[in-house]
Amino acid sequence: MVVSAPNGIEHPPLLVLLSDGELHSGEWLAKELAQTRAAVWKGVQRLRATGIEVHAVARRGYRLANRVELLDARRITAELTEEGRAHLHGLELRYEVDSTNTRLLAAAPPPPGTADVCASELQHAGRGRLGRRWIAPFGGGIAMSLGWTCSDVVRTLPALSLGVGVAVSRALARAGAQGITLKWPNDIWFRDRKLGGVLIELRAESGGPAHVVIGVGINVSLPAQARREIEAGGAAVAAAADACAAPPSRNAVAGAILDELLSMLVRYERLGFSAFRDEWTTLDGLRDRPAEVTVGGTTIRGVARGVDSDGALLLETRDGLQRFVSGEASLRLSAGDA
Ligand code: BTN
């Protein structure tokens, strides 16, 4: 396994000093950084320019709006089992990136049976499904992508996002979360609110294996302001911390997701979705509930009845049981059932 920097990531030293969320005087920060106070002020401006909220308290100093657990390669890889380590080819932690999915898609695919992983503190152009943006407040979420070389996309791809949902829910349970459910095809839910999402993209070489990039975005803890901003877009959100008795460690959640994804991929390649269907069914947050599916501008109402062996959604409608494949259809709870 290759880790891109000795401690995994190079954070701005000023950010490291402020990460405890405490108030630190400009004088102390300047001394610790061997800089002038003017340089510290410039550093604060640079952090703000990247979207990090730093409060200046008159004559007392600076503090982050919220304490943050910075990404740390050692703490992430500590969550990996021996099997996980054996299948991890490279781990790149970045301070900022446009999109972790875009970055991996542009890179060479990893050797078959192994994964290249990229996670970033800041994602300036995070992408969601159906062309939407993915927004995560600094330090409050996980933006991680995993690249995998896939020899049989036709067999693997249709239900892969359901396998990813199972892996992520296992990881969240490992981190202490209870009550996580899945919404077909690839939303992670807590109490009918979106806690995370999955974006799977593909670069296929003609005739050769395909480079599949699995992007996972998870809200770990959301300050009230960030929650309001995301919900202004129309979606009810949740965070892993809402589902845990004590706030989970961001690195532990990231490491558990990585470990569960690696283990799922190895099993999925051998056995396909059938090895995950029962577990997916127990996690299905919409099963037997009134739901509507939109396909190409048409909305079909019915009752969600789980998924078939290919991971296609089954909807019981007035015209009988209908089947929808992911990528073409989007699903939501019928109004009044939320
Ligand atoms: C969705 O529910 O719409 C999918 C969201 C996926 C977001 C993740 S964050 C890491 C990776 N990089 C991206 O640009 N998107 C995915």
Side-chain angles (χ1 to χ4, degrees):
M1 180 209 341
V2 178
V3 177
S4 58
N7 61 351
I9 188 165
E10 282 167 24
H11 293 100
L14 175 61
L15 179 62
V16 175
L17 294 177
L18 291 173
S19 61
D20 59 8
E22 302 292 327
L23 185 67
H24 295 288
S25 71
E27 190 183 353
W28 180 81
L29 291 166
K31 199 163 152 241
E32 290 293 310
L33 297 168
Q35 288 178 349
T36 63
R37 287 175 67 174
V40 169
W41 170 242
K42 278 198 188 127
V44 167
Q45 302 289 62
R46 272 196 299 276
L47 293 181
R48 286 176 172 165
T50 59
I52 300 174
E53 210 181 326
V54 189
H55 293 172
V57 183
R59 286 181 296 283
R60 295 188 52 209
Y62 305 100
R63 75 161 157 244
L64 287 189
N66 302 289
R67 184 186 168 277
V68 61
E69 182 190 330
L70 297 171
L71 293 177
D72 180 328
R74 268 177 289 243
R75 294 182 69 183
I76 293 174
T77 52
E79 294 296 320
L80 298 183
T81 56
E82 222 165 278
E83 188 203 11
R85 282 169 202 272
H87 292 283
L88 182 61
H89 178 250
L91 173 64
E92 182 188 35
L93 297 187
R94 297 189 61 85
Y95 175 58
E96 49 190 337
V97 75
D98 50 357
S99 148
T100 52
N101 260 37
T102 307
R103 182 163 177 87
L104 277 189
L105 274 172
T114 69
D116 277 332
V117 175
C118 175
S120 184
E121 289 294 2
L122 290 160
Q123 200 178 218
H124 298 301
R127 294 185 289 108
R129 281 186 75 228
L130 310 170
R132 298 192 192 109
R133 282 189 65 204
W134 180 258
I135 304 169
F138 169 73
I142 293 167
M144 183 161 81
S145 299
L146 181 152
W148 187 261
T149 299
C150 183
S151 54
D152 187 352
V153 264
V154 177
R155 177 175 161 269
T156 308
L157 220 51
L160 183 60
S161 65
L162 280 70
V164 173
V166 169
V168 172
S169 68
R170 283 182 185 173
L172 290 168
R174 251 168 79 169
Q178 287 184 345
I180 300 297
T181 58
L182 300 175
K183 192 200 86 168
W184 182 91
N186 51 12
D187 281 358
I188 319 295
W189 267 11
F190 177 65
R191 297 191 177 145
D192 292 351
R193 306 173 81 88
K194 184 160 172 168
L195 183 152
V198 177
L199 176 68
I200 298 186
E201 296 180 294
L202 176 77
R203 209 187 65 212
E205 311 295 340
S206 67
H211 186 190
V212 174
V213 173
I214 301 167
V216 179
I218 297 289
N219 302 321
V220 178
S221 58
L222 287 180
Q225 173 63 18
R227 221 172 261 253
R228 278 193 292 273
E229 276 167 29
I230 301 173
E231 292 196 334
V237 291
D242 305 341
C244 295
S249 150
R250 195 168 160 240
N251 284 296
V253 173
I257 291 175
L258 176 53
D259 191 50
E260 295 293 344
L261 280 178
L262 290 165
S263 136
M264 181 276 295
L265 282 164
V266 172
R267 197 141 175 256
Y268 196 107
E269 283 223 311
R270 238 175 347 112
L271 303 169
F273 177 60
S274 60
F276 299 91
R277 185 177 170 200
D278 287 351
E279 195 170 346
W280 197 92
T281 301
T282 62
L283 292 162
D284 184 355
L286 255 71
R287 192 175 175 86
D288 300 333
R289 296 175 72 184
E292 37 194 77
V293 173
T294 304
V295 196
T298 306
T299 298
I300 302 127
R301 293 189 175 78
V303 175
R305 296 291 188 211
V307 293
D308 70 10
S309 56
D310 297 323
L313 173 77
L314 301 173
L315 188 75
E316 193 179 308
T317 71
R318 268 191 272 167
D319 304 324
L321 201 61
Q322 294 197 31
R323 179 181 183 275
F324 299 92
V325 294
S326 77
E328 288 173 6
S330 73
L331 170 71
R332 64 168 192 242
L333 265 179
S334 287
D337 193 62

